[in-house]
Amino acid sequence: MKLALKAAISAVALGSALLPVSAGAGVAASPKAEVTAIMGATVFDGTGAEPRLANVVIRDGRIVEVGPGVKPPRGARVIDAKGEALLPGFYDLHTHWTPSGMPGTTPQIVAAYVSAGVTTVSDFNAAPESFAPRRQWLSTLVAPHVNFAARMSTPGGHGADWADSNTTKWVNTPEAARAAVRAIAVYKPDLIKAFTDGWRYGVAPDNTSMDEWTLAALVDEAHKNQLKVFTHTVTVDRGEAAGRAKVDVITHSLQDRPLDAEAVAAIKAGGTSDTPTLAVYEPTKAGPPRDMSDPKVKQSFQKFDYALGNAKALHDAGVTLALGTDAGMPATPHGVSTLHEMELLVRAGLTPAQALIAGTADSARVIGQLDDRGTIQPGKRADLVLIRGAPWKTIEDVRKTDRVFIDGKLVFGPGAPAMTANAATTMSPVPAKALIDDFERADGRSSLDTLRNDDPDGGLDRTVEISQVISRGTEGRALSIAARMAMKAKPNAGVIIPLTRGSIQPVDARAFKGVRFEVRGDGDYALGVTTTSARWSAPFSAGPAWRTVEAPFSALKATTYRGDKDDKATWSGLDLTEVEFMGGRLGGEKMWMEIDNVTFY
């Protein structure tokens, strides 16, 4: 996939290229109206109408005319599309833009979607604090429109077993759910993802699922804030509960048993839709299993059969199926998985035309964007894909992408302008400031106006950690970290200080030699520095009296790497994103540490 993507980007850069497109609102109108006429295509408009020969005129990013007799306006850019199919751009309502995905960096992820004809994507992986910088970054790239999801789970539940409580809000009562919705609404998320199944696919007892009262309160408060709620749900019983709570979308397959009439009725009555994400569960997605006699392998095939059958049962009952993939998870690459999901919907029993509508109009409908896009009709946003084939007859033809338009701009395919921004892997760094945090603010934000994050170990049994700003007498304030370690082999706790908001844009710290800070504590600890390519650390110790520690960059050792396992991390000083103070003790023990006046020196 990496080689294929690099080849695609190189080809685009040489001729069939991409043009910068806004992530959310689209490209601004130019002073002079830009007009494009796509002539002679067979139009599958997503409304349910039969495909037909028609011409489509686009003006300033919107479709203005569709019909067989439509003439190209004078001065319009004319695209001869005879023998090709024109469809609305595809949706993917469930993806994770993780560093370990395929591909793993934002510019390459968006290129993968655009080249597949996917023009609107929902990312479930970003912390709310990163929404604004990520939106700004996407506005400089060739990108689909991106919906950002705020995440909520129960303490210890799926999603909260690895993320900090700012990335995934932890709620277990109706009051907590309502407060969490109000807290994240200020970040202007596009939707909320609720992890309601805490049982992690049967690998642990079901003691962390979200109760129905909490889920119903979450949905009610979200709807008051004009936010859709998607719920991570993989069992029939939890799907029925989602329907009773009036969740907007179940965002996985129901796969533990065949649906019964009561569950279908509850889901339908709740106005709840489903994105089955069949692509992530397909048991052969990474190749045929080596041992078909393995009980886990047999179970994966059985669950996938249930997933296929339940998707068809919901569709037949009139429940809307939309398209999501869980792309970014293992062996579920960005872009092509969206196209494969439509193939799997056909395997489940939908017709190719029904699968195409699931990936266009119905996806737009369930996310609340059908008035803006998802069909080829006058007034709609001109997010379009030209395909060499007839995918309503042969669904595999969705892979034959020729040209892609976002906001009416030709962004991929013959005649598209040259691409530059998408060749990068990170945002350009900004100069590092000397003062990182003196903890004089009491609102949880650093001296850099970034949101500090607690960083306890992951898993169902997590270290209990409390960090807070405390008085240091005449010296002002300091950060206190206290923790009780989980009963596991290597428990740990720490606090992360992002160097820019959301840890998205790196800083250039080459003007400095290292990190200086004041500390007191009860033993051994480590300073961590995260860069865009690796995590680095250096040990230090502290006793009951305050002392000043200087940790030169030369003392940092790389501990984890991003990207290929063969990558060799080298310190450049150009790409720092976070500083962390952390410590570990034996399971059940307690740890404390106080930090002050963190600077680059």
Side-chain angles (χ1 to χ4, degrees):
M1 179 60 194
K2 283 188 177 180
L3 291 175
L5 180 62
K6 289 178 180 177
I9 292 176
S10 297
V12 169
L14 291 173
S16 307
L18 307 178
L19 184 72
V21 173
S22 167
V27 175
S30 63
K32 182 178 180 181
E34 297 183 9
V35 182
T36 300
I38 302 173
M39 308 298 290
T42 301
V43 175
F44 182 95
D45 65 15
T47 67
E50 289 296 317
R52 66 195 188 283
L53 286 173
N55 304 323
V56 176
V57 174
I58 303 163
R59 185 183 301 272
D60 270 358
R62 295 278 169 178
I63 299 166
V64 293
E65 290 185 277
V66 181
V70 170
K71 304 296 184 184
R74 180 178 299 177
R77 178 181 189 176
V78 176
I79 294 177
D80 183 359
K82 292 183 179 66
E84 295 190 282
L86 183 68
L87 290 85
F90 301 128
Y91 269 75
D92 196 326
L93 294 176
H94 188 153
T95 72
H96 293 268
W97 295 18
T98 66
S100 59
M102 299 171 54
T105 59
T106 292
Q108 284 67 52
I109 290 171
V110 297
Y113 282 112
V114 170
S115 64
V118 183
T119 57
T120 302
V121 180
S122 295
D123 177 25
F124 286 3
N125 213 64
E129 185 77 2
S130 74
F131 290 172
R134 288 196 63 197
R135 285 170 174 142
Q136 192 280 326
W137 188 12
L138 286 165
S139 73
T140 70
L141 303 174
V142 181
H145 306 284
V146 181
N147 303 314
F148 288 110
R151 301 151 50 99
M152 297 186 186
S153 184
T154 57
H158 182 27
D161 50 355
W162 63 269
D164 62 84
S165 58
N166 293 318
T167 298
T168 302
K169 294 293 186 185
W170 302 355
V171 302
N172 58 3
T173 66
E175 294 80 8
R178 291 184 185 278
V181 171
R182 292 191 293 269
I184 60 90
V186 299
Y187 290 101
K188 302 186 185 305
D190 298 293
L191 65 148
I192 292 174
K193 179 181 180 181
F195 292 86
T196 56
D197 289 6
W199 62 297
R200 289 301 313 222
Y201 303 96
V203 300
D206 186 7
N207 59 1
T208 54
S209 288
M210 188 178 294
D211 64 64
E212 197 169 316
W213 299 274
T214 301
L215 179 59
L218 189 160
V219 172
D220 181 65
E221 193 67 29
H223 289 172
K224 289 178 181 177
N225 284 273
Q226 291 75 53
L227 292 168
K228 301 284 187 180
V229 176
F230 285 48
T231 180
H232 171 105
T233 297
V234 296
T235 68
V236 171
D237 288 345
R238 302 297 298 177
E240 184 175 349
R244 289 194 297 266
K246 295 181 169 51
V247 162
D248 296 289
V249 181
I250 295 168
T251 188
H252 279 303
S253 301
L254 305 179
Q255 53 191 271
D256 60 325
R257 61 181 172 87
L259 275 161
D260 53 57
E262 291 78 9
V264 172
I267 292 168
K268 187 173 181 180
T272 302
S273 304
D274 183 32
T275 58
T277 65
L278 298 167
V280 78
Y281 295 117
E282 186 181 22
T284 57
K285 65 178 182 175
R290 294 182 180 180
D291 182 6
M292 287 297 298
S293 65
D294 185 331
K296 290 185 177 179
V297 172
K298 290 182 178 180
Q299 183 188 43
S300 70
F301 278 85
Q302 179 64 78
K303 288 166 64 177
F304 192 63
D305 285 344
Y306 289 147
L308 293 169
N310 287 341
K312 182 64 162 57
L314 289 172
H315 182 268
D316 289 349
V319 173
T320 299
L321 294 189
L323 194 145
T325 60
D326 218 359
M329 295 296 101
T332 316
H334 297 288
V336 294
S337 293
T338 311
L339 307 180
H340 186 48
E341 183 74 13
M342 287 184 270
E343 296 170 339
L344 292 173
L345 288 172
V346 172
R347 180 175 167 184
L350 276 66
T351 67
Q354 289 169 339
L356 292 171
I357 290 174
T360 55
D362 282 347
S363 289
R365 178 178 291 107
V366 304
I367 197 67
Q369 295 176 339
L370 187 58
D371 288 343
D372 181 68
R373 69 194 90 151
T375 61
I376 301 177
Q377 294 175 291
K380 294 292 182 76
R381 188 183 297 270
D383 293 350
L384 306 167
V385 56
L386 271 170
I387 289 175
R388 297 188 186 95
W392 52 87
K393 295 179 181 177
T394 306
I395 193 62
E396 289 78 13
D397 283 356
V398 293
R399 296 176 180 264
K400 299 177 180 178
T401 309
D402 181 29
R403 294 178 178 93
V404 179
F405 303 80
I406 298 178
D407 289 329
K409 301 286 187 180
L410 177 61
V411 296
F412 180 82
M419 182 222 8
T420 54
N422 284 58
T425 57
T426 66
M427 294 183 77
S428 298
V430 295
K433 297 178 179 179
L435 178 60
I436 298 172
D437 206 345
D438 60 9
F439 307 103
E440 293 307 304
R441 295 178 61 160
D443 59 358
R445 303 190 74 85
S446 72
S447 300
L448 298 168
D449 195 29
T450 62
L451 186 65
R452 292 188 293 268
N453 292 312
D454 290 348
D455 188 30
D457 45 53
L460 292 173
D461 179 20
R462 301 190 73 173
T463 291
V464 178
E465 176 180 352
I466 296 177
S467 68
Q468 59 184 330
V469 171
I470 62 171
S471 173
R472 195 182 163 189
T474 59
E475 299 295 327
R477 292 173 172 159
L479 180 70
S480 167
I481 304 169
R484 184 182 72 243
M485 297 295 158
M487 296 302 297
K488 57 179 59 170
K490 294 181 179 180
N492 60 82
V495 169
I496 295 171
I497 308 173
L499 299 175
T500 59
R501 184 162 293 196
S503 305
I504 298 300
Q505 187 166 24
V507 303
D508 180 351
R510 290 178 298 175
F512 302 98
K513 296 180 180 179
V515 180
R516 177 190 294 131
F517 54 93
E518 297 170 28
V519 62
R520 72 188 195 102
D522 65 350
D524 296 327
Y525 307 94
L527 167 73
V529 177
T530 301
T531 67
T532 58
S533 59
R535 294 191 69 184
W536 306 74
S537 71
F540 68 90
S541 61
W546 283 98
R547 63 182 291 247
T548 298
V549 174
E550 288 188 349
F553 293 143
S554 59
L556 296 171
K557 304 297 182 184
T559 57
T560 59
Y561 307 93
R562 293 182 180 178
D564 295 331
K565 292 181 179 179
D566 303 353
D567 288 349
K568 301 298 182 183
T570 57
W571 180 267
S572 70
L574 268 171
D575 59 346
L576 284 64
T577 58
E578 297 170 340
V579 169
E580 180 173 5
F581 296 91
M582 49 196 170
R585 299 290 185 269
L586 296 176
E589 291 187 349
K590 295 180 181 179
M591 180 199 80
W592 70 274
M593 171 173 40
E594 293 175 6
I595 299 288
D596 202 2
N597 298 323
V598 183
T599 66
F600 289 121
Y601 72 93

